[in-house]
PDB file of all heavy atoms in Angstrom:
ATOM      1  N   GLU J 650      17.981  10.737   7.833  1.00 95.00           N
ATOM      2  CA  GLU J 650      16.713  11.471   7.675  1.00 95.00           C
ATOM      3  C   GLU J 650      16.137  11.844   9.040  1.00 95.00           C
ATOM      4  O   GLU J 650      15.616  12.945   9.223  1.00 95.00           O
ATOM      5  CB  GLU J 650      15.694  10.633   6.885  1.00 95.00           C
ATOM      6  CG  GLU J 650      16.052  10.515   5.406  1.00 95.00           C
ATOM      7  CD  GLU J 650      15.382   9.349   4.688  1.00 95.00           C
ATOM      8  OE1 GLU J 650      14.577   8.635   5.315  1.00 95.00           O
ATOM      9  OE2 GLU J 650      15.674   9.151   3.491  1.00 95.00           O
ATOM     10  N   MET J 651      16.245  10.940   9.998  1.00 92.00           N
ATOM     11  CA  MET J 651      15.683  11.252  11.321  1.00 92.00           C
ATOM     12  C   MET J 651      16.386  12.453  11.932  1.00 92.00           C
ATOM     13  O   MET J 651      15.759  13.300  12.569  1.00 92.00           O
ATOM     14  CB  MET J 651      15.755  10.031  12.234  1.00 92.00           C
ATOM     15  CG  MET J 651      14.593   9.124  11.943  1.00 92.00           C
ATOM     16  SD  MET J 651      14.480   7.524  12.748  1.00 92.00           S
ATOM     17  CE  MET J 651      15.663   7.457  13.971  1.00 92.00           C
ATOM     18  N   ALA J 652      17.691  12.548  11.715  1.00 93.00           N
ATOM     19  CA  ALA J 652      18.431  13.696  12.242  1.00 93.00           C
ATOM     20  C   ALA J 652      18.033  14.972  11.488  1.00 93.00           C
ATOM     21  O   ALA J 652      17.807  16.027  12.097  1.00 93.00           O
ATOM     22  CB  ALA J 652      19.934  13.442  12.113  1.00 93.00           C
ATOM     23  N   LEU J 653      17.917  14.861  10.190  1.00 96.00           N
ATOM     24  CA  LEU J 653      17.587  16.058   9.396  1.00 96.00           C
ATOM     25  C   LEU J 653      16.161  16.542   9.675  1.00 96.00           C
ATOM     26  O   LEU J 653      15.892  17.745   9.678  1.00 96.00           O
ATOM     27  CB  LEU J 653      17.724  15.740   7.896  1.00 96.00           C
ATOM     28  CG  LEU J 653      19.152  15.544   7.395  1.00 96.00           C
ATOM     29  CD1 LEU J 653      19.154  14.950   5.997  1.00 96.00           C
ATOM     30  CD2 LEU J 653      19.914  16.875   7.405  1.00 96.00           C
ATOM     31  N   ASP J 654      15.248  15.604   9.906  1.00 94.00           N
ATOM     32  CA  ASP J 654      13.843  15.985  10.124  1.00 94.00           C
ATOM     33  C   ASP J 654      13.684  16.885  11.349  1.00 94.00           C
ATOM     34  O   ASP J 654      12.702  17.614  11.470  1.00 94.00           O
ATOM     35  CB  ASP J 654      12.967  14.732  10.304  1.00 94.00           C
ATOM     36  CG  ASP J 654      12.840  13.946   9.015  1.00 94.00           C
ATOM     37  OD1 ASP J 654      13.255  14.466   7.963  1.00 94.00           O
ATOM     38  OD2 ASP J 654      12.345  12.807   9.064  1.00 94.00           O
ATOM     39  N   GLU J 655      14.638  16.800  12.262  1.00 93.00           N
ATOM     40  CA  GLU J 655      14.540  17.625  13.473  1.00 93.00           C
ATOM     41  C   GLU J 655      15.131  19.007  13.297  1.00 93.00           C
ATOM     42  O   GLU J 655      15.013  19.860  14.170  1.00 93.00           O
ATOM     43  CB  GLU J 655      15.266  16.918  14.634  1.00 93.00           C
ATOM     44  CG  GLU J 655      14.476  15.733  15.120  1.00 93.00           C
ATOM     45  CD  GLU J 655      15.228  14.952  16.172  1.00 93.00           C
ATOM     46  OE1 GLU J 655      16.209  15.477  16.742  1.00 93.00           O
ATOM     47  OE2 GLU J 655      14.832  13.798  16.405  1.00 93.00           O
ATOM     48  N   ALA J 656      15.794  19.241  12.168  1.00 95.00           N
ATOM     49  CA  ALA J 656      16.465  20.529  11.960  1.00 95.00           C
ATOM     50  C   ALA J 656      15.428  21.646  11.755  1.00 95.00           C
ATOM     51  O   ALA J 656      14.332  21.396  11.252  1.00 95.00           O
ATOM     52  CB  ALA J 656      17.388  20.438  10.754  1.00 95.00           C
ATOM     53  N   PRO J 657      15.776  22.873  12.172  1.00 95.00           N
ATOM     54  CA  PRO J 657      14.816  23.969  12.041  1.00 95.00           C
ATOM     55  C   PRO J 657      14.425  24.230  10.596  1.00 95.00           C
ATOM     56  O   PRO J 657      15.283  24.248   9.711  1.00 95.00           O
ATOM     57  CB  PRO J 657      15.564  25.179  12.629  1.00 95.00           C
ATOM     58  CG  PRO J 657      16.960  24.734  12.864  1.00 95.00           C
ATOM     59  CD  PRO J 657      17.036  23.256  12.783  1.00 95.00           C
ATOM     60  N   GLY J 658      13.146  24.393  10.385  1.00 96.00           N
ATOM     61  CA  GLY J 658      12.648  24.740   9.048  1.00 96.00           C
ATOM     62  C   GLY J 658      12.460  23.545   8.129  1.00 96.00           C
ATOM     63  O   GLY J 658      12.019  23.692   6.999  1.00 96.00           O
ATOM     64  N   VAL J 659      12.791  22.332   8.623  1.00 96.00           N
ATOM     65  CA  VAL J 659      12.671  21.140   7.765  1.00 96.00           C
ATOM     66  C   VAL J 659      11.412  20.368   8.145  1.00 96.00           C
ATOM     67  O   VAL J 659      11.232  20.016   9.316  1.00 96.00           O
ATOM     68  CB  VAL J 659      13.907  20.219   7.913  1.00 96.00           C
ATOM     69  CG1 VAL J 659      13.723  18.935   7.123  1.00 96.00           C
ATOM     70  CG2 VAL J 659      15.155  20.954   7.476  1.00 96.00           C
ATOM     71  N   LEU J 660      10.553  20.139   7.157  1.00 94.00           N
ATOM     72  CA  LEU J 660       9.352  19.353   7.417  1.00 94.00           C
ATOM     73  C   LEU J 660       9.707  17.871   7.383  1.00 94.00           C
ATOM     74  O   LEU J 660       9.371  17.110   8.274  1.00 94.00           O
ATOM     75  CB  LEU J 660       8.294  19.665   6.356  1.00 94.00           C
ATOM     76  CG  LEU J 660       7.017  18.855   6.451  1.00 94.00           C
ATOM     77  CD1 LEU J 660       6.253  19.235   7.706  1.00 94.00           C
ATOM     78  CD2 LEU J 660       6.161  19.059   5.217  1.00 94.00           C
TER      79      LEU J 660
END
Side-chain angles (χ1 to χ4, degrees):
E650 288 160 3
M651 278 174 10
L653 289 168
D654 291 350
E655 287 175 16
V659 175
L660 176 68

